[in-house]
Amino acid sequence: MAGHEFTSIRSPRIKGARRLAKRAFRQRERRFLAEGPQAVREALARPGVVHELYTTAEATQRHADLVAAASASGVPVHRVTLEVMSELAQTVTPQGLLAVCSFVDVPLAAVSGARLVAVLSHVRDPGNAGTVLRTADAAGADAVIFTDASVDPYNGKCVRASAGSLFHLPVVVGPRVAEVVEHLRAAGARVLAADGTGERDLDSAADGGDLSGRVAWIFGNEAWGLPEETLALADAAVRVPIYGGAESLNLATAAAVCLYTTAREQRRAPVPG
């Protein structure tokens, strides 16, 4: 669908889109910005998610397929100058494509049947959160839950770090970690806290069959991990074994090891029904 051409950053429409860089405006409008061809492609694959697409002349030629797909879906496509795109984009070197999207999160009740879940508790860095989301998607997780104390998954850096995975699997936003644990446990999941000082290691958890059923992993803050009250909620605190001399693993790496190990064990022992 043909849109407008914007040459001024003072345009009310451009200002309105730019405000979505701030969490308060995102929450009020329940819309966010998805920047770059990868994010735009994945967003367009979900009908009704993209409200409008902004593109430079160069990007229109380079990514003609995406622009055509947007138009064919009835999405207004607006041509903007490089100056306007630089104002809209949140990267140093914009790629010339930016979509205004609807929130895609689902309520906690919608993930009751999930077999593998990643729960982010007190995760504050958007790049780390987006990477864990991408990793969970790659490992075949059924949902990712951002608790009320974690970063906003619609933060621009988080959206980019997810590399499109935000649009692939159910994402829950905002519940308290205690509520999450209660809900998932009632649905039959074993709740494990990833903790560097956990009493069990991942190998023994796998060998003991703790990873073969429904599993929810809680991942904590990048610097100080999980608080005692959160650890107390879990069925067990599990550490990733360190075989070499490294002091620890960063959040995204530890999450990848935990999620992939669990996915492997679950595939060895399918859950009935």
Side-chain angles (χ1 to χ4, degrees):
M1 179 184 295
H4 299 86
E5 183 168 354
F6 295 99
T7 59
S8 172
I9 61 176
R10 296 180 178 83
S11 162
R13 193 155 195 166
I14 298 301
K15 288 182 177 180
R18 184 69 183 87
R19 281 198 296 266
L20 296 177
K22 297 182 178 180
R23 185 170 190 170
F25 286 100
R26 290 196 296 269
Q27 292 179 329
R28 189 179 73 182
E29 302 292 333
R30 286 196 60 80
R31 294 186 179 183
F32 69 104
L33 301 177
E35 184 179 342
Q38 176 67 17
V40 169
R41 180 177 292 106
E42 304 306 324
L44 286 170
R46 292 189 58 171
V49 166
V50 179
H51 285 272
E52 53 188 356
L53 179 67
Y54 293 90
T55 176
T56 62
E58 181 184 5
T60 299
Q61 293 183 334
R62 180 177 298 176
H63 304 290
D65 58 328
L66 295 180
V67 174
S71 294
S73 299
V75 174
V77 178
H78 306 304
R79 182 74 64 84
V80 298
T81 61
L82 290 174
E83 180 189 18
V84 171
M85 181 58 69
S86 295
E87 178 70 14
L88 287 173
Q90 296 173 272
T91 54
V92 177
T93 54
Q95 294 177 282
L97 282 177
L98 185 143
V100 175
C101 303
S102 291
F103 278 13
V104 295
D105 54 276
V106 301
L108 183 59
V111 301
S112 297
R115 190 174 176 195
L116 178 56
V117 181
V119 180
L120 303 186
S121 176
H122 295 85
V123 174
R124 302 291 172 80
D125 182 88
N128 283 337
T131 301
V132 174
L133 177 53
R134 180 181 184 180
T135 300
D137 181 23
D142 300 297
V144 176
I145 300 174
F146 287 71
T147 65
D148 59 344
S150 286
V151 69
D152 179 13
Y154 301 114
N155 173 289
K157 187 175 180 180
C158 187
V159 175
R160 292 192 298 277
S162 80
S165 289
L166 174 63
F167 302 103
H168 290 171
L169 75 173
V171 173
V172 178
V173 181
R176 294 176 297 105
V177 66
E179 177 189 0
V180 171
V181 170
E182 180 182 5
H183 183 85
L184 294 177
R185 187 176 286 127
R190 185 171 182 81
V191 180
L192 303 176
D195 182 70
T197 61
E199 68 271 14
R200 301 194 64 187
D201 68 28
L202 190 62
D203 290 342
S204 65
D207 293 342
D210 293 340
L211 307 182
S212 58
R214 299 187 190 278
V215 176
W217 279 99
I218 306 177
F219 302 107
N221 182 268
E222 297 84 354
W224 39 265
L226 291 167
E228 288 297 326
E229 56 267 28
T230 301
L231 290 172
L233 294 171
D235 293 307
V238 180
R239 68 183 186 279
V240 176
I242 302 292
Y243 303 121
E247 179 186 5
S248 63
L249 296 174
N250 66 27
L251 169 64
T253 304
V257 174
C258 293
L259 292 170
Y260 267 93
T261 301
T262 306
R264 182 192 64 189
E265 295 302 311
Q266 289 177 334
R267 280 160 175 73
R268 288 178 173 177
V271 174

